[in-house]
Amino acid sequence: MDSIRVFAPATVANVACGFDIFGFAVDNPGDQIVLTTSDEPGVRITDIIGDEGRLPREAARNTAGIAIQTYLRSINRTDLGLDIVLHKQMPLGSGLGSSAASAVAGVYAVNELLGRPLPTLKLLPFAMEGERIACGSAHADNVGPSLLGGFVVVRSYSPLDVIKIETPATLFCTLVHPDIEVNTKDARFILKNEVSLKNTITQMGNVAGLIAGLMTPDYSLISRSLVDVIIEPVRAILIPEFNEAKQAALDNGALGCSISGSGPSMFALSRDAQTAEKVGAAMQQAFLAVGIASEAYVSQINQQGPKVLVD
Ligand code: HSE
């Protein structure tokens, strides 16, 4: 095999109460990468489609490029020549895990191309390097679920300890991306470094409740636990009509609604597809009322993670 095309899914990080420790993958959108071997050693980005020229073309400064380079160094294969074509199929700065999906697609693709020398879980630290250059923090709550599929808990960063947990088969996610941009680095910068004991206790209760609710499964418990008293109140100001869109989701039957990753996308969880569609339409209407266009996506939790696409 001298060429491979891989899709990696978008992700919802934080999932309300789990800042930097929870994330899940969705079926769409997602990014695609095509890797082709070359006689000339080194990793090159030959084209990026769908970014309007905004992403770095230098491999070491691109999330997919750096993930692949770090991987090749670790397996002593810097002799390999690779040309990358990246197909960005989701908006940048959207809170949908765009930088993570590219990094995951890249590292998964090269590992497949080489006959899978490493098991999938071992690819995670390389994909995290993509996040480090994208926003200055090597968090795993987007790359983890994009790589492993499903709902992922990052129990610890040092040492890295990542757990994939069961979710109800009929849980549906609505994602609404209002047509504005939030830079993850900025959205992290505005957070407070200190948290009160009261809020820590509330948040820990919700973290535990959400995991128990997903695994039982218990929809009422999921609903009561989809609450973030630490991050959402600070970041909500970055999203016009956040409160109205969230209320619209809850009024239309969502179990809960919060910011997807660092925003501006918002996610809601519902117990069936019909409710999830209705929730999406209501959230879009809330944005439209103040003249903000948006895209909505409805999908189940993606259990597969990246996949090889055959042309
Ligand atoms: N956990 C990260 C954050 C996800 O909220 O900043 C964004 O990539």
Side-chain angles (χ1 to χ4, degrees):
M1 185 161 51
D2 58 5
S3 184
I4 190 168
R5 179 188 287 264
V6 163
F7 165 90
T11 42
V12 172
N14 302 337
V15 199
C17 50
F19 179 70
D20 276 0
I21 63 164
F22 288 170
F24 63 82
V26 293
D27 287 335
N28 65 85
D31 278 351
Q32 283 187 29
I33 201 166
V34 179
L35 292 190
T36 308
T37 53
S38 150
D39 292 338
E40 193 188 331
V43 177
R44 284 163 300 277
I45 296 179
T46 50
D47 202 2
I48 304 180
I49 297 147
D51 73 328
E52 292 160 358
R54 295 175 52 199
L55 292 175
R57 264 57 183 169
E58 189 191 329
R61 292 181 52 236
N62 177 284
T63 66
I66 190 85
I68 293 170
Q69 286 180 329
T70 319
Y71 166 88
L72 289 176
R73 274 199 293 275
S74 89
I75 60 161
N76 296 315
R77 284 303 312 271
T78 48
D79 59 302
L80 194 69
L82 277 179
D83 292 338
I84 303 175
V85 177
L86 189 56
H87 297 258
K88 294 299 298 179
Q89 295 177 329
M90 57 178 128
L92 308 181
S94 59
L96 300 173
S98 166
S99 54
S102 295
V104 165
V107 78
Y108 188 86
V110 65
N111 194 51
E112 290 293 305
L113 199 61
L114 294 175
R116 211 176 294 167
L118 295 184
T120 304
L121 186 58
K122 293 267 186 225
L123 304 178
L124 190 54
F126 309 117
M128 287 168 70
E129 286 309 307
E131 293 292 57
R132 192 190 307 283
I133 61 154
C135 76
S137 146
H139 52 271
D141 52 344
N142 289 114
V143 284
S146 185
L147 181 67
L148 304 174
F151 189 109
V152 166
V153 174
V154 187
R155 190 207 59 85
S156 156
Y157 276 87
S158 179
L160 192 58
D161 188 359
V162 170
I163 306 132
K164 183 171 165 177
I165 67 153
E166 290 289 314
T167 51
T170 56
L171 195 62
F172 279 79
C173 173
T174 307
L175 272 169
V176 174
H177 171 246
D179 205 3
I180 52 172
E181 220 170 280
V182 169
N183 180 288
T184 298
K185 207 181 264 186
D186 298 340
R188 294 181 78 84
F189 182 76
I190 62 168
L191 299 176
K192 301 182 182 111
N193 276 322
E194 284 175 11
V195 178
S196 71
L197 182 59
K198 182 169 173 271
N199 279 347
T200 305
I201 293 166
T202 304
Q203 199 88 349
M204 286 197 298
N206 287 324
V207 161
L210 183 55
I211 296 303
L214 290 169
M215 293 182 77
T216 307
D218 178 338
Y219 285 108
S220 167
L221 180 55
I222 293 171
S223 180
R224 297 198 301 281
S225 306
L226 281 170
V227 177
D228 173 10
V229 296
I230 296 176
I231 306 296
E232 184 186 293
V234 181
R235 284 183 170 172
I237 54 161
L238 300 174
I239 306 170
E241 301 305 286
F242 173 82
N243 290 325
E244 290 75 6
K246 178 172 174 170
Q247 196 56 52
L250 299 176
D251 289 347
N252 281 277
L255 295 166
C257 173
S258 186
I259 304 170
S260 175
S262 55
S265 293
M266 295 174 65
F267 81 95
L269 291 178
S270 299
R271 59 174 87 206
D272 58 68
Q274 205 184 347
T275 308
E277 294 284 356
K278 201 166 130 211
V279 162
M283 292 171 75
Q284 286 196 284
Q285 194 51 49
F287 285 117
L288 207 55
V290 291
I292 300 174
S294 62
E295 296 97 54
Y297 309 87
V298 170
S299 88
Q300 287 182 279
I301 311 284
N302 171 310
Q303 296 295 340
Q304 187 182 3
K307 61 179 176 203
V308 176
L309 301 176
V310 182
D311 290 328

